[in-house]
Amino acid sequence: MHVRVKPAVRLGGEIQALSSKNYTTRYMLAAALAEGESELMYPAHSEDSDAMRRSLRDLGAELVETENRLTIRGFGSKPRAAKELDVGNAGAVLRFLMSVAALCPGDVTFLNKYPESLGKRPHIDLIHALEQMNVRVTHRDGRLPITIHGGAPRGGRIRVSGSVSSQYLSSLLFMTPLLEEDSEIEVLNDLKSKIVVGQTLEVLGQAGIRVEASDDLMHYRVPGRQRYEAKRYVVQGDYPGSAAILAAAAVTDSDVKVHRLPEDSRQGERAAVDVLRAMNVPLDHKDGIVHVRGNGRLKAVEFDGDHFTDAVLAMVAAAVFAEGTSRFYNVENLRYKECDRITDFVAELRKAGADVEERQSEIIVHGKPEGVPGGVEIDAHFDHRVIMALTVVGLRSDKGLVIRDAHHVAKSYPQYFDHLRELGAEIDVLD
């Protein structure tokens, strides 16, 4: 599906933030690893969360869903052997379930359904960690298809690199409490997206799991022989997807409210509100509502993007129209997502007329307060975050933008274009 994003005259109205993808997938996994029945209120619906639903069913969990409620009867520490799992294009789901698959009594093969996206992403650091735990893994240079030969994982001393993704560590933290042995996990090199690890630890604590973490989140002690408790979870609103809505409001003439975004959320992308404030965007944030009264006049900023990885592209899109030069640094992990979110995104921004540069771990934006010409067709690179951010640029461009393969926005935010239309944006489906 291609879409045409037309220049926006004004955006106005109120929307409910979609539910958090990160919390939904983590709560679903915690519920599946419990024995008994758990309940999720307001679970997210997206391609990623649907991939987790599908995979957990294949592993033996029972899922029943009604409006705004998902009930899961878990398989505990004994998932059944699913010969093949289709995780779609969901990297976090793949990595979380690679460790869970080690508990299965037989082989589990993760299929390569997106060879040009997830199929290119590396998973070798997690594979090396699992091999330390007596798990045999068949793979293609650390990439899909990957087969986990399960049945006999052992705890103990485990080392895992955190320099590419924190998802490897989260994967181990979900699985190791169920082993017979205690485990000690040491993170090597650096640890990306530490705030997201905090979300994992928060969910584990809510599920009754004990994990001792060092202050720098580089060392963990995980007692074995634990059990996940069946619980009731309430999923909060999603900051990563909402960041693009807020950016769109910031760069246009607007009066927009986004509900269900708690001020005390542990989502790192909550920092998007701080970034926009630093850009001089008129906004209030109280009672779980972010209220933006955009005037399109922004100033340049510098931010460490590792703290809000999934909102960086939306903030870069806003910075395209800021006065001065903005710099988002410590973002190398963006290169290892659905696409290379630095090189690929910068290339598309330049097509639209933006003045941007890339470094290995930085995106530098020379703002154009007068706007960019647009009027071109650009490539989404199969990436939902790229699509959302390019839409923001299109709304402030002189001639709009055509975004190819924009249907991939459904990976995390199926209602994205609908929500923008509710706020007054003109977005046409071309095929």
Side-chain angles (χ1 to χ4, degrees):
M1 178 185 80
H2 300 358
V3 298
R4 175 179 287 113
V5 181
K6 297 181 180 179
V9 176
R10 177 174 171 79
L11 299 181
E14 304 184 26
I15 62 169
Q16 300 289 324
L18 80 162
S19 292
S20 167
K21 175 173 75 80
N22 281 357
Y23 275 100
T24 296
T25 53
R26 284 165 172 77
Y27 283 143
M28 289 173 66
L29 182 55
L33 293 173
E35 296 178 3
E37 196 169 275
S38 296
E39 185 179 75
L40 276 70
M41 299 301 298
Y42 311 108
H45 286 275
S46 65
E47 290 180 354
D48 278 15
S49 57
D50 288 348
M52 181 65 92
R53 286 174 172 83
R54 180 173 62 244
S55 297
L56 293 178
R57 283 193 177 99
D58 289 343
L59 289 167
E62 298 177 16
L63 282 71
V64 178
E65 194 150 11
T66 57
E67 185 177 2
N68 295 328
R69 177 181 292 143
L70 173 62
T71 302
I72 300 178
R73 179 169 292 279
F75 44 67
S77 61
K78 297 179 180 179
R80 70 185 179 199
K83 292 183 179 180
E84 295 181 337
L85 288 181
D86 172 14
V87 297
N89 200 24
V93 176
L94 165 65
R95 290 160 175 173
F96 291 172
L97 295 183
M98 282 172 62
S99 292
V100 173
L103 300 170
C104 293
D107 297 350
V108 177
T109 297
F110 292 89
L111 303 176
N112 187 10
K113 289 295 188 73
Y114 287 83
E116 296 303 314
S117 187
L118 182 57
K120 290 184 175 180
R121 295 172 68 179
H123 315 287
I124 194 68
D125 294 332
L126 178 55
I127 290 170
H128 286 163
L130 291 171
E131 289 173 340
Q132 297 168 43
M133 302 172 66
N134 193 45
V135 179
R136 187 164 63 90
V137 184
T138 302
H139 55 96
R140 183 177 57 82
D141 192 28
R143 291 170 170 80
L144 291 171
I146 294 171
T147 298
I148 307 294
H149 306 278
R154 291 200 298 259
R157 188 170 179 81
I158 306 161
R159 294 180 174 180
V160 61
S161 175
S163 62
V164 171
S165 175
S166 66
Q167 293 169 356
Y168 309 142
L169 171 62
S170 288
S171 178
L172 298 172
L173 290 173
F174 273 107
M175 184 262 273
T176 48
L178 297 172
L179 302 179
E180 284 298 310
E181 304 83 9
D182 296 346
S183 297
E184 291 188 18
I185 303 175
E186 177 185 359
V187 182
L188 303 178
N189 308 314
D190 191 11
L191 178 58
K192 299 298 183 183
S193 305
K194 286 186 177 180
I195 288 181
V196 184
V197 176
Q199 294 174 25
T200 295
L201 294 172
E202 178 186 5
V203 170
L204 289 171
Q206 291 177 25
I209 296 297
R210 292 175 291 115
V211 174
E212 298 175 16
S214 64
D215 290 341
D216 63 0
L217 298 181
M218 299 296 281
H219 296 83
Y220 302 81
R221 183 180 179 279
V222 186
R225 300 169 298 283
Q226 297 191 63
R227 291 177 180 269
Y228 282 79
E229 299 173 5
K231 287 288 185 71
R232 182 179 187 269
Y233 303 106
V234 179
V235 182
Q236 61 185 251
D238 184 72
Y239 271 93
S242 298
I245 299 287
L246 299 175
V251 304
T252 59
D253 178 23
S254 70
D255 188 344
V256 170
K257 291 182 179 179
V258 182
H259 295 252
R260 296 186 63 232
L261 295 177
E263 295 94 311
D264 60 352
S265 171
R266 294 194 185 185
Q267 296 177 64
E269 288 74 17
R270 181 176 56 84
V273 176
D274 299 326
V275 176
L276 294 176
R277 275 201 183 106
M279 286 182 170
N280 272 358
V281 175
L283 64 82
D284 298 312
H285 189 191
K286 60 183 179 181
D287 301 326
I289 303 170
V290 181
H291 184 187
V292 179
R293 300 177 182 88
N295 55 26
R297 297 191 296 273
L298 300 89
K299 73 173 187 178
V301 295
E302 290 197 8
F303 271 89
D304 181 342
D306 187 56
H307 300 299
F308 56 100
T309 302
D310 283 337
V312 167
L313 299 196
M315 297 301 100
V316 168
V320 165
F321 307 102
E323 182 176 350
T325 295
S326 296
R327 175 172 165 258
F328 298 88
Y329 57 92
N330 195 19
V331 296
E332 183 177 358
N333 58 330
L334 291 175
R335 294 191 181 278
Y336 313 113
K337 300 294 184 176
E338 285 79 350
C339 70
D340 183 334
R341 287 182 181 167
I342 297 180
T343 295
D344 293 338
F345 183 51
V346 164
E348 303 308 318
L349 287 176
R350 286 173 176 162
K351 291 179 188 176
D355 186 358
V356 287
E357 302 178 51
E358 65 168 290
R359 302 286 186 269
Q360 180 61 25
S361 60
E362 296 181 11
I363 301 177
I364 299 167
V365 187
H366 305 290
K368 293 187 173 184
E370 72 278 9
V372 297
V376 296
E377 187 172 299
I378 51 183
D379 189 352
H381 295 277
F382 308 102
D383 193 313
H384 53 132
R385 303 292 177 206
V386 172
I387 295 163
M388 286 187 268
L390 290 174
T391 301
V392 173
V393 176
L395 290 171
R396 177 69 184 272
S397 65
D398 295 337
K399 301 177 183 177
L401 292 173
V402 172
I403 304 175
R404 294 197 298 268
D405 299 321
H407 57 282
H408 290 289
V409 76
K411 184 177 190 296
S412 65
Y413 199 161
Q415 308 94 334
Y416 180 64
F417 294 127
D418 291 335
H419 279 178
L420 283 174
R421 290 187 188 102
E422 287 177 28
L423 297 174
E426 292 188 63
I427 300 173
D428 299 330
V429 176
L430 302 182
D431 57 20

